Amino acid sequence: MSRYSKGAIILHWLMALMIIGNLLGGFLHDYVPKEGGQRAFVMGLHTSFGLTIIALTLLRLGWRLANSPPALPHYFTAGERLLAKAAHWAFYIAMLALPFTGWALTNRNDRPLMFFGLFEVPKFGLDKATARDFGEIHENLGWVMVALLALHVIGIIKHLVMDRDNLLPRMGVGQPRG
Ligand code: HEM
Ligand code: HEM
């Protein structure tokens, strides 16, 4: 059975964790109390991990363009192949569009944008109204990411339960079935 390379597997799971964390932090930040700077702390992690995701996506895209992924099992239909390919590329687009629109929306206030409290990251210099529009786009793209994730996980469960095939082992989880 062919697998993704070790580097691709580590990047996949590390980024899945960060993106799911950022979806939770983004959608739920209103419920975090403002007192004692708790919400600011959560959003500081959100923006810093979000900027890290841009760098990791570029790294991963570079890897992906230089290496072909392992071939899908031969019994995949043409429709399944197309769906998997479209969903994977849509993920790459969302993994860049989501953090860039987040970066753009930070122009709606004049607070410095910090990277894990270590250094200040420049903003784009947009006016506040445009930055607020990017806020709307960021929120909508958040839902697009949730939808893609649901499609991705449903597809994998379908293959695991109905086809009993080796998709998860391709991504480094479990042993392939004989
Ligand atoms: C937001 C989180 C996630 C993102 C952005 C994501 C993204 C991706 C992408 C882009 C690929 C294709 C890699 C390539 O060929 O370039 C992939 C493959 C895969 N992902 Fe995820 N993933 C996420 C979460 C998950 C989760 C939660 C699971 C487990 C249920 C999972 C299991 C897999 C598996 C098994 C493959 C390999 C499928 C194959 O063999 O083609 N992913 N993922
Ligand atoms: C893949 C990475 C990211 C994901 C998955 C993500 C997701 C989200 C989501 C779902 C929301 C909630 C939207 C709403 O309900 O209004 C949100 C809000 C926010 N995001 Fe992100 N984001 C990411 C990256 C970034 C980056 C890189 C920045 C800035 C550098 C950023 C800044 C913000 C800010 C400031 C808010 C709060 C908006 C508000 O108060 O209404 N995000 N994000």
Side-chain angles (χ1 to χ4, degrees), residues 6-67:
K6 224 181 202 129
I9 291 174
I10 292 172
L11 266 181
H12 173 268
W13 292 111
L14 189 69
M15 291 184 67
L17 209 66
M18 286 186 181
I19 293 170
I20 293 168
N22 256 23
L23 287 171
L24 289 172
F27 282 131
L28 300 178
H29 76 277
D30 280 344
Y31 300 100
V32 180
K34 275 192 169 169
E35 294 80 52
Q38 295 180 63
R39 192 182 297 175
F41 176 73
V42 168
M43 288 320 281
L45 290 180
H46 181 93
T47 51
S48 302
F49 276 117
L51 292 168
T52 308
I53 288 164
I54 296 180
L56 292 180
T57 304
L58 293 176
L59 187 74
R60 191 165 165 191
L61 258 180
W63 171 88
R64 183 61 173 74
L65 294 172
N67 300 276

Short mmCIF file of all heavy atoms in Angstrom, two decimals, residues 6-67:
data_model
loop_
_atom_site.label_atom_id
_atom_site.label_comp_id
_atom_site.label_asym_id
_atom_site.label_seq_id
_atom_site.Cartn_x
_atom_site.Cartn_y
_atom_site.Cartn_z
N LYS A 6 6.36 10.86 5.26
CA LYS A 6 6.30 11.22 6.68
C LYS A 6 6.06 12.73 6.88
O LYS A 6 5.24 13.14 7.70
CB LYS A 6 7.62 10.82 7.36
CG LYS A 6 7.34 10.17 8.67
CD LYS A 6 8.60 9.78 9.39
CE LYS A 6 8.23 8.69 10.37
NZ LYS A 6 9.07 7.53 10.28
N GLY A 7 6.78 13.52 6.10
CA GLY A 7 6.64 14.98 6.22
C GLY A 7 5.21 15.43 5.91
O GLY A 7 4.64 16.26 6.61
N ALA A 8 4.64 14.84 4.84
CA ALA A 8 3.28 15.23 4.45
C ALA A 8 2.27 14.82 5.53
O ALA A 8 1.32 15.55 5.82
CB ALA A 8 2.91 14.57 3.12
N ILE A 9 2.52 13.65 6.14
CA ILE A 9 1.60 13.17 7.19
C ILE A 9 1.67 14.08 8.42
O ILE A 9 0.64 14.50 8.95
CB ILE A 9 1.96 11.70 7.57
CG1 ILE A 9 1.62 10.77 6.40
CG2 ILE A 9 1.21 11.28 8.83
CD1 ILE A 9 2.06 9.33 6.60
N ILE A 10 2.90 14.44 8.83
CA ILE A 10 3.05 15.31 10.01
C ILE A 10 2.38 16.65 9.75
O ILE A 10 1.61 17.16 10.56
CB ILE A 10 4.54 15.49 10.37
CG1 ILE A 10 5.10 14.15 10.88
CG2 ILE A 10 4.73 16.57 11.41
CD1 ILE A 10 6.60 14.14 11.08
N LEU A 11 2.64 17.22 8.55
CA LEU A 11 2.04 18.52 8.22
C LEU A 11 0.51 18.43 8.20
O LEU A 11 -0.18 19.31 8.70
CB LEU A 11 2.52 18.98 6.84
CG LEU A 11 3.73 19.90 6.81
CD1 LEU A 11 4.05 20.29 5.38
CD2 LEU A 11 3.48 21.17 7.63
N HIS A 12 -0.03 17.33 7.61
CA HIS A 12 -1.48 17.18 7.54
C HIS A 12 -2.11 17.24 8.93
O HIS A 12 -3.04 17.99 9.18
CB HIS A 12 -1.87 15.87 6.84
CG HIS A 12 -3.34 15.60 6.90
ND1 HIS A 12 -3.91 14.86 7.90
CD2 HIS A 12 -4.36 16.00 6.11
CE1 HIS A 12 -5.23 14.80 7.71
NE2 HIS A 12 -5.54 15.49 6.63
N TRP A 13 -1.58 16.44 9.88
CA TRP A 13 -2.22 16.35 11.19
C TRP A 13 -1.96 17.58 12.04
O TRP A 13 -2.86 18.04 12.76
CB TRP A 13 -1.81 15.06 11.91
CG TRP A 13 -2.38 13.86 11.21
CD1 TRP A 13 -1.70 12.91 10.52
CD2 TRP A 13 -3.78 13.51 11.09
NE1 TRP A 13 -2.58 11.99 9.99
CE2 TRP A 13 -3.85 12.34 10.32
CE3 TRP A 13 -4.96 14.09 11.56
CZ2 TRP A 13 -5.07 11.71 10.00
CZ3 TRP A 13 -6.17 13.48 11.24
CH2 TRP A 13 -6.21 12.30 10.47
N LEU A 14 -0.76 18.16 11.93
CA LEU A 14 -0.46 19.39 12.67
C LEU A 14 -1.39 20.51 12.21
O LEU A 14 -1.98 21.24 13.02
CB LEU A 14 1.00 19.76 12.39
CG LEU A 14 1.60 20.89 13.21
CD1 LEU A 14 1.75 20.43 14.65
CD2 LEU A 14 2.98 21.27 12.66
N MET A 15 -1.55 20.63 10.89
CA MET A 15 -2.39 21.70 10.36
C MET A 15 -3.86 21.45 10.63
O MET A 15 -4.62 22.39 10.87
CB MET A 15 -2.13 21.89 8.87
CG MET A 15 -0.75 22.44 8.61
SD MET A 15 -0.50 22.76 6.87
CE MET A 15 -1.65 24.12 6.62
N ALA A 16 -4.28 20.16 10.59
CA ALA A 16 -5.70 19.86 10.88
C ALA A 16 -6.01 20.34 12.31
O ALA A 16 -7.04 20.98 12.55
CB ALA A 16 -5.97 18.37 10.74
N LEU A 17 -5.09 20.06 13.23
CA LEU A 17 -5.27 20.47 14.63
C LEU A 17 -5.37 22.00 14.74
O LEU A 17 -6.26 22.54 15.42
CB LEU A 17 -4.06 19.97 15.42
CG LEU A 17 -4.24 19.64 16.87
CD1 LEU A 17 -5.17 18.43 17.01
CD2 LEU A 17 -2.90 19.31 17.51
N MET A 18 -4.45 22.69 14.07
CA MET A 18 -4.45 24.16 14.15
C MET A 18 -5.71 24.75 13.53
O MET A 18 -6.29 25.71 14.06
CB MET A 18 -3.25 24.72 13.38
CG MET A 18 -1.94 24.53 14.04
SD MET A 18 -0.76 25.42 13.00
CE MET A 18 0.69 25.11 13.87
N ILE A 19 -6.13 24.20 12.39
CA ILE A 19 -7.29 24.77 11.68
C ILE A 19 -8.56 24.52 12.49
O ILE A 19 -9.39 25.42 12.67
CB ILE A 19 -7.39 24.20 10.25
CG1 ILE A 19 -6.20 24.70 9.43
CG2 ILE A 19 -8.70 24.62 9.59
CD1 ILE A 19 -6.05 24.03 8.07
N ILE A 20 -8.70 23.31 13.03
CA ILE A 20 -9.91 23.00 13.83
C ILE A 20 -9.89 23.89 15.08
O ILE A 20 -10.91 24.47 15.46
CB ILE A 20 -9.99 21.50 14.15
CG1 ILE A 20 -10.24 20.72 12.86
CG2 ILE A 20 -11.10 21.21 15.17
CD1 ILE A 20 -10.07 19.21 12.97
N GLY A 21 -8.72 24.06 15.69
CA GLY A 21 -8.59 24.95 16.86
C GLY A 21 -8.98 26.37 16.49
O GLY A 21 -9.70 27.05 17.24
N ASN A 22 -8.57 26.83 15.32
CA ASN A 22 -8.89 28.20 14.91
C ASN A 22 -10.38 28.36 14.57
O ASN A 22 -10.95 29.42 14.80
CB ASN A 22 -8.02 28.63 13.72
CG ASN A 22 -6.92 29.57 14.17
OD1 ASN A 22 -6.55 29.57 15.34
ND2 ASN A 22 -6.41 30.38 13.27
N LEU A 23 -10.98 27.30 14.01
CA LEU A 23 -12.43 27.38 13.74
C LEU A 23 -13.17 27.51 15.08
O LEU A 23 -14.06 28.35 15.22
CB LEU A 23 -12.91 26.12 13.00
CG LEU A 23 -12.51 26.01 11.52
CD1 LEU A 23 -12.85 24.63 10.97
CD2 LEU A 23 -13.21 27.10 10.69
N LEU A 24 -12.77 26.69 16.06
CA LEU A 24 -13.43 26.74 17.38
C LEU A 24 -13.19 28.11 18.03
O LEU A 24 -14.13 28.76 18.50
CB LEU A 24 -12.89 25.62 18.28
CG LEU A 24 -13.32 24.20 17.89
CD1 LEU A 24 -12.58 23.16 18.73
CD2 LEU A 24 -14.83 24.04 18.05
N GLY A 25 -11.91 28.53 18.05
CA GLY A 25 -11.58 29.83 18.67
C GLY A 25 -12.32 30.97 17.98
O GLY A 25 -12.82 31.89 18.64
N GLY A 26 -12.41 30.92 16.65
CA GLY A 26 -13.07 31.99 15.89
C GLY A 26 -14.56 32.03 16.19
O GLY A 26 -15.10 33.07 16.58
N PHE A 27 -15.23 30.90 16.02
CA PHE A 27 -16.69 30.91 16.18
C PHE A 27 -17.12 31.07 17.64
O PHE A 27 -18.20 31.57 17.91
CB PHE A 27 -17.31 29.63 15.60
CG PHE A 27 -17.42 29.64 14.10
CD1 PHE A 27 -16.98 28.57 13.33
CD2 PHE A 27 -17.99 30.73 13.46
CE1 PHE A 27 -17.07 28.60 11.95
CE2 PHE A 27 -18.10 30.77 12.07
CZ PHE A 27 -17.64 29.70 11.31
N LEU A 28 -16.27 30.64 18.59
CA LEU A 28 -16.70 30.65 19.99
C LEU A 28 -16.12 31.81 20.79
O LEU A 28 -16.40 31.92 21.99
CB LEU A 28 -16.32 29.31 20.67
CG LEU A 28 -16.95 28.06 20.02
CD1 LEU A 28 -16.47 26.80 20.74
CD2 LEU A 28 -18.47 28.13 20.04
N HIS A 29 -15.34 32.71 20.15
CA HIS A 29 -14.64 33.71 20.97
C HIS A 29 -15.60 34.65 21.70
O HIS A 29 -15.27 35.16 22.75
CB HIS A 29 -13.59 34.48 20.15
CG HIS A 29 -14.15 35.52 19.24
ND1 HIS A 29 -14.63 35.23 18.00
CD2 HIS A 29 -14.32 36.86 19.40
CE1 HIS A 29 -15.05 36.35 17.42
NE2 HIS A 29 -14.88 37.34 18.24
N ASP A 30 -16.82 34.84 21.16
CA ASP A 30 -17.80 35.69 21.84
C ASP A 30 -18.16 35.16 23.22
O ASP A 30 -18.62 35.90 24.08
CB ASP A 30 -19.09 35.79 21.01
CG ASP A 30 -18.92 36.79 19.87
OD1 ASP A 30 -17.97 37.59 19.94
OD2 ASP A 30 -19.73 36.74 18.92
N TYR A 31 -18.02 33.85 23.43
CA TYR A 31 -18.39 33.25 24.72
C TYR A 31 -17.25 33.30 25.73
O TYR A 31 -17.43 32.92 26.87
CB TYR A 31 -18.82 31.78 24.52
CG TYR A 31 -20.01 31.66 23.60
CD1 TYR A 31 -19.85 31.32 22.27
CD2 TYR A 31 -21.29 31.94 24.08
CE1 TYR A 31 -20.95 31.25 21.41
CE2 TYR A 31 -22.39 31.87 23.25
CZ TYR A 31 -22.21 31.52 21.91
OH TYR A 31 -23.29 31.46 21.08
N VAL A 32 -16.06 33.72 25.28
CA VAL A 32 -14.94 33.82 26.21
C VAL A 32 -15.02 35.19 26.89
O VAL A 32 -15.14 36.21 26.20
CB VAL A 32 -13.58 33.69 25.45
CG1 VAL A 32 -12.42 33.81 26.42
CG2 VAL A 32 -13.53 32.38 24.69
N PRO A 33 -14.99 35.23 28.24
CA PRO A 33 -15.13 36.52 28.93
C PRO A 33 -14.00 37.48 28.57
O PRO A 33 -12.87 37.06 28.35
CB PRO A 33 -15.09 36.15 30.41
CG PRO A 33 -14.75 34.71 30.50
CD PRO A 33 -14.84 34.09 29.16
N LYS A 34 -14.38 38.78 28.52
CA LYS A 34 -13.36 39.79 28.21
C LYS A 34 -12.47 40.08 29.42
O LYS A 34 -11.34 40.53 29.27
CB LYS A 34 -14.05 41.10 27.78
CG LYS A 34 -14.41 41.13 26.31
CD LYS A 34 -14.82 42.52 25.88
CE LYS A 34 -14.91 42.61 24.37
NZ LYS A 34 -15.54 43.84 23.92
N GLU A 35 -13.04 39.82 30.64
CA GLU A 35 -12.32 40.15 31.88
C GLU A 35 -10.95 39.48 31.93
O GLU A 35 -10.81 38.33 31.53
CB GLU A 35 -13.10 39.69 33.13
CG GLU A 35 -14.43 40.40 33.36
CD GLU A 35 -15.52 39.82 32.48
OE1 GLU A 35 -15.69 38.61 32.49
OE2 GLU A 35 -16.17 40.61 31.76
N GLY A 36 -10.00 40.24 32.46
CA GLY A 36 -8.66 39.68 32.66
C GLY A 36 -7.95 39.38 31.34
O GLY A 36 -6.99 38.61 31.32
N GLY A 37 -8.46 39.95 30.25
CA GLY A 37 -7.81 39.77 28.95
C GLY A 37 -7.92 38.36 28.39
O GLY A 37 -7.14 37.97 27.52
N GLN A 38 -8.94 37.57 28.86
CA GLN A 38 -9.04 36.18 28.39
C GLN A 38 -9.37 36.10 26.89
O GLN A 38 -8.81 35.30 26.16
CB GLN A 38 -10.12 35.44 29.18
CG GLN A 38 -9.78 35.28 30.64
CD GLN A 38 -10.87 34.54 31.38
OE1 GLN A 38 -11.16 33.40 31.10
NE2 GLN A 38 -11.49 35.22 32.33
N ARG A 39 -10.31 36.98 26.45
CA ARG A 39 -10.68 36.93 25.03
C ARG A 39 -9.51 37.41 24.16
O ARG A 39 -9.23 36.83 23.11
CB ARG A 39 -11.92 37.78 24.77
CG ARG A 39 -12.48 37.50 23.39
CD ARG A 39 -13.68 38.35 23.07
NE ARG A 39 -14.79 38.08 23.96
CZ ARG A 39 -15.94 38.76 23.93
NH1 ARG A 39 -16.09 39.76 23.07
NH2 ARG A 39 -16.91 38.47 24.77
N ALA A 40 -8.82 38.44 24.64
CA ALA A 40 -7.67 38.94 23.87
C ALA A 40 -6.61 37.84 23.75
O ALA A 40 -5.96 37.70 22.70
CB ALA A 40 -7.09 40.18 24.55
N PHE A 41 -6.46 37.05 24.82
CA PHE A 41 -5.48 35.96 24.80
C PHE A 41 -5.87 34.92 23.74
O PHE A 41 -5.04 34.51 22.91
CB PHE A 41 -5.41 35.32 26.19
CG PHE A 41 -4.50 34.12 26.26
CD1 PHE A 41 -3.12 34.27 26.22
CD2 PHE A 41 -5.03 32.83 26.34
CE1 PHE A 41 -2.28 33.16 26.28
CE2 PHE A 41 -4.20 31.72 26.40
CZ PHE A 41 -2.82 31.89 26.36
N VAL A 42 -7.16 34.54 23.74
CA VAL A 42 -7.64 33.55 22.77
C VAL A 42 -7.45 34.08 21.34
O VAL A 42 -6.96 33.38 20.45
CB VAL A 42 -9.14 33.20 23.03
CG1 VAL A 42 -9.74 32.43 21.88
CG2 VAL A 42 -9.26 32.41 24.33
N MET A 43 -7.80 35.36 21.13
CA MET A 43 -7.68 35.90 19.77
C MET A 43 -6.21 36.09 19.38
O MET A 43 -5.86 36.02 18.20
CB MET A 43 -8.48 37.20 19.62
CG MET A 43 -9.98 37.00 19.60
SD MET A 43 -10.52 35.54 18.67
CE MET A 43 -10.41 36.10 16.97
N GLY A 44 -5.35 36.31 20.38
CA GLY A 44 -3.90 36.39 20.10
C GLY A 44 -3.39 35.05 19.58
O GLY A 44 -2.60 34.99 18.63
N LEU A 45 -3.88 33.97 20.19
CA LEU A 45 -3.50 32.63 19.70
C LEU A 45 -4.10 32.41 18.31
O LEU A 45 -3.45 31.87 17.41
CB LEU A 45 -4.03 31.55 20.65
CG LEU A 45 -3.36 31.45 22.02
CD1 LEU A 45 -4.00 30.33 22.84
CD2 LEU A 45 -1.85 31.19 21.86
N HIS A 46 -5.37 32.85 18.12
CA HIS A 46 -6.05 32.68 16.84
C HIS A 46 -5.27 33.34 15.69
O HIS A 46 -5.01 32.71 14.67
CB HIS A 46 -7.46 33.29 16.95
CG HIS A 46 -8.29 33.17 15.72
ND1 HIS A 46 -9.15 32.14 15.51
CD2 HIS A 46 -8.38 33.95 14.60
CE1 HIS A 46 -9.74 32.28 14.34
NE2 HIS A 46 -9.29 33.38 13.77
N THR A 47 -4.90 34.60 15.90
CA THR A 47 -4.20 35.30 14.82
C THR A 47 -2.80 34.72 14.59
O THR A 47 -2.37 34.57 13.46
CB THR A 47 -4.11 36.81 15.12
OG1 THR A 47 -3.57 36.99 16.42
CG2 THR A 47 -5.47 37.48 15.08
N SER A 48 -2.11 34.35 15.71
CA SER A 48 -0.74 33.83 15.55
C SER A 48 -0.74 32.46 14.88
O SER A 48 0.06 32.21 13.96
CB SER A 48 -0.06 33.73 16.92
OG SER A 48 -0.05 34.99 17.54
N PHE A 49 -1.64 31.57 15.31
CA PHE A 49 -1.72 30.26 14.64
C PHE A 49 -2.19 30.45 13.19
O PHE A 49 -1.74 29.77 12.28
CB PHE A 49 -2.67 29.31 15.39
CG PHE A 49 -2.01 28.60 16.53
CD1 PHE A 49 -2.41 28.79 17.84
CD2 PHE A 49 -0.94 27.74 16.30
CE1 PHE A 49 -1.78 28.14 18.90
CE2 PHE A 49 -0.29 27.08 17.35
CZ PHE A 49 -0.72 27.29 18.65
N GLY A 50 -3.11 31.42 12.98
CA GLY A 50 -3.61 31.69 11.62
C GLY A 50 -2.47 32.10 10.69
O GLY A 50 -2.37 31.62 9.56
N LEU A 51 -1.58 32.98 11.18
CA LEU A 51 -0.44 33.40 10.35
C LEU A 51 0.52 32.23 10.12
O LEU A 51 1.08 32.07 9.03
CB LEU A 51 0.29 34.57 11.02
CG LEU A 51 -0.51 35.89 11.08
CD1 LEU A 51 0.16 36.89 12.01
CD2 LEU A 51 -0.67 36.49 9.68
N THR A 52 0.66 31.37 11.14
CA THR A 52 1.52 30.18 10.99
C THR A 52 0.95 29.27 9.89
O THR A 52 1.72 28.67 9.12
CB THR A 52 1.58 29.41 12.33
OG1 THR A 52 1.93 30.32 13.36
CG2 THR A 52 2.59 28.27 12.28
N ILE A 53 -0.39 29.20 9.83
CA ILE A 53 -1.03 28.34 8.83
C ILE A 53 -0.69 28.81 7.41
O ILE A 53 -0.51 27.99 6.51
CB ILE A 53 -2.56 28.29 9.08
CG1 ILE A 53 -2.83 27.46 10.34
CG2 ILE A 53 -3.32 27.72 7.88
CD1 ILE A 53 -4.22 27.62 10.92
N ILE A 54 -0.56 30.14 7.21
CA ILE A 54 -0.17 30.63 5.87
C ILE A 54 1.19 30.04 5.49
O ILE A 54 1.36 29.48 4.40
CB ILE A 54 -0.09 32.18 5.83
CG1 ILE A 54 -1.47 32.79 6.09
CG2 ILE A 54 0.48 32.65 4.49
CD1 ILE A 54 -1.49 34.31 6.06
N ALA A 55 2.15 30.15 6.42
CA ALA A 55 3.51 29.68 6.12
C ALA A 55 3.50 28.17 5.87
O ALA A 55 4.11 27.68 4.89
CB ALA A 55 4.43 30.02 7.28
N LEU A 56 2.77 27.42 6.72
CA LEU A 56 2.76 25.96 6.56
C LEU A 56 2.04 25.55 5.27
O LEU A 56 2.42 24.57 4.62
CB LEU A 56 2.10 25.30 7.77
CG LEU A 56 2.87 25.42 9.09
CD1 LEU A 56 2.11 24.72 10.22
CD2 LEU A 56 4.27 24.81 8.97
N THR A 57 1.00 26.29 4.89
CA THR A 57 0.28 25.95 3.65
C THR A 57 1.20 26.15 2.45
O THR A 57 1.22 25.34 1.52
CB THR A 57 -0.99 26.82 3.47
OG1 THR A 57 -1.81 26.67 4.62
CG2 THR A 57 -1.78 26.39 2.24
N LEU A 58 1.99 27.24 2.47
CA LEU A 58 2.90 27.49 1.35
C LEU A 58 3.94 26.36 1.25
O LEU A 58 4.24 25.85 0.16
CB LEU A 58 3.58 28.85 1.49
CG LEU A 58 2.61 30.04 1.36
CD1 LEU A 58 3.35 31.36 1.61
CD2 LEU A 58 1.95 30.06 -0.03
N LEU A 59 4.43 25.94 2.43
CA LEU A 59 5.39 24.82 2.48
C LEU A 59 4.74 23.55 1.91
O LEU A 59 5.32 22.84 1.08
CB LEU A 59 5.75 24.60 3.95
CG LEU A 59 6.85 23.62 4.27
CD1 LEU A 59 8.18 24.26 3.89
CD2 LEU A 59 6.88 23.28 5.77
N ARG A 60 3.51 23.32 2.35
CA ARG A 60 2.82 22.09 1.96
C ARG A 60 2.47 22.11 0.47
O ARG A 60 2.58 21.09 -0.21
CB ARG A 60 1.54 22.01 2.79
CG ARG A 60 0.84 20.70 2.71
CD ARG A 60 -0.17 20.63 3.83
NE ARG A 60 -1.12 19.56 3.62
CZ ARG A 60 -2.21 19.41 4.33
NH1 ARG A 60 -2.49 20.27 5.28
NH2 ARG A 60 -3.04 18.41 4.09
N LEU A 61 2.07 23.30 -0.03
CA LEU A 61 1.76 23.42 -1.46
C LEU A 61 3.00 23.15 -2.30
O LEU A 61 2.94 22.48 -3.32
CB LEU A 61 1.26 24.83 -1.76
CG LEU A 61 -0.24 25.00 -1.94
CD1 LEU A 61 -0.54 26.47 -2.24
CD2 LEU A 61 -0.79 24.12 -3.06
N GLY A 62 4.14 23.68 -1.81
CA GLY A 62 5.40 23.45 -2.51
C GLY A 62 5.69 21.96 -2.59
O GLY A 62 6.02 21.42 -3.65
N TRP A 63 5.51 21.27 -1.45
CA TRP A 63 5.72 19.82 -1.42
C TRP A 63 4.76 19.13 -2.39
O TRP A 63 5.15 18.26 -3.17
CB TRP A 63 5.48 19.28 0.00
CG TRP A 63 5.47 17.78 0.03
CD1 TRP A 63 6.55 16.96 0.18
CD2 TRP A 63 4.35 16.91 -0.16
NE1 TRP A 63 6.16 15.65 0.10
CE2 TRP A 63 4.82 15.59 -0.11
CE3 TRP A 63 2.98 17.14 -0.37
CZ2 TRP A 63 3.97 14.49 -0.25
CZ3 TRP A 63 2.14 16.05 -0.51
CH2 TRP A 63 2.64 14.73 -0.45
N ARG A 64 3.49 19.57 -2.36
CA ARG A 64 2.45 18.92 -3.14
C ARG A 64 2.68 19.09 -4.64
O ARG A 64 2.41 18.19 -5.43
CB ARG A 64 1.10 19.50 -2.71
CG ARG A 64 -0.11 18.90 -3.37
CD ARG A 64 -0.20 17.42 -3.05
NE ARG A 64 -1.45 16.91 -3.56
CZ ARG A 64 -1.70 16.71 -4.84
NH1 ARG A 64 -0.76 16.93 -5.73
NH2 ARG A 64 -2.87 16.26 -5.24
N LEU A 65 3.20 20.29 -5.03
CA LEU A 65 3.43 20.53 -6.46
C LEU A 65 4.67 19.78 -6.94
O LEU A 65 4.77 19.40 -8.11
CB LEU A 65 3.56 22.04 -6.73
CG LEU A 65 2.25 22.81 -6.46
CD1 LEU A 65 2.48 24.32 -6.55
CD2 LEU A 65 1.14 22.40 -7.43
N ALA A 66 5.62 19.55 -6.02
CA ALA A 66 6.85 18.85 -6.41
C ALA A 66 6.70 17.33 -6.37
O ALA A 66 7.43 16.62 -7.03
CB ALA A 66 8.00 19.29 -5.48
N ASN A 67 5.75 16.82 -5.56
CA ASN A 67 5.56 15.37 -5.42
C ASN A 67 4.13 14.98 -5.74
O ASN A 67 3.20 15.63 -5.28
CB ASN A 67 5.80 14.94 -3.96
CG ASN A 67 7.20 15.29 -3.50
OD1 ASN A 67 8.14 14.55 -3.73
ND2 ASN A 67 7.34 16.44 -2.89
#
